[in-house]
Amino acid sequence: MLEFKWTPVIIGLIISIVLGIILSLFIGSWGDLIAYLIATIYVGYTVGVDYINGAVHGALVGIVAAIIVGILSIVGLSAILGAVGAAGGIIILIAGIIYRAIVGAIGGIIGILLKAKHNVYFFLFFKLSTIRFIY
């Protein structure tokens, strides 16, 4: 069953924006992708129910982040370039939504996989620590 948890989505958006700004200053255009992937992995790990939930929540972070960035680029480009800049901003918005939704879904699935691996290790440790050897 699909459950929407908005708190991890909002935290993922904040992580994406803040890390994106910081990493873009040091790494360049790759910093935005790395920050976004870290944020969606966090969201998938936090939601952690199943793969569909992780993918949907990661894609949701991607869609909302793309809309925010797209609106800012439309406003910025239309102020500088006029109608041509606004048209370019709309194209960037549509491409950004598709791109970030796909990357967000992948990041959400990676987060789910990390949580599942962590739970397996915890389960094995807990089971091995409770085994009693009787001679």
Side-chain angles (χ1 to χ4, degrees), residues 35-135:
Y36 181 66
L37 197 58
I38 290 171
T40 55
I41 288 172
Y42 163 77
V43 170
Y45 187 87
T46 305
V47 171
V49 178
D50 60 354
Y51 299 112
I52 294 173
N53 243 347
V56 167
H57 280 80
L60 187 63
V61 170
I63 291 169
V64 174
I67 289 172
I68 291 171
V69 170
I71 289 172
L72 292 175
S73 69
I74 289 172
V75 169
L77 289 176
S78 65
I80 296 171
L81 300 175
V84 175
I90 292 172
I91 293 171
I92 291 171
L93 175 66
I94 294 169
I97 288 174
I98 294 168
Y99 165 72
R100 288 185 183 255
I102 292 170
V103 173
I106 292 169
I109 291 172
I110 291 171
I112 293 289
L113 290 172
L114 288 174
K115 185 161 191 167
K117 187 174 181 179
H118 177 264
N119 286 341
V120 168
Y121 286 145
F122 178 75
F123 178 74
L124 287 175
F125 176 75
F126 182 72
K127 285 302 224 182
L128 291 176
S129 65
T130 57
I131 294 175
R132 295 194 173 104
F133 294 100
I134 300 174
Y135 294 105

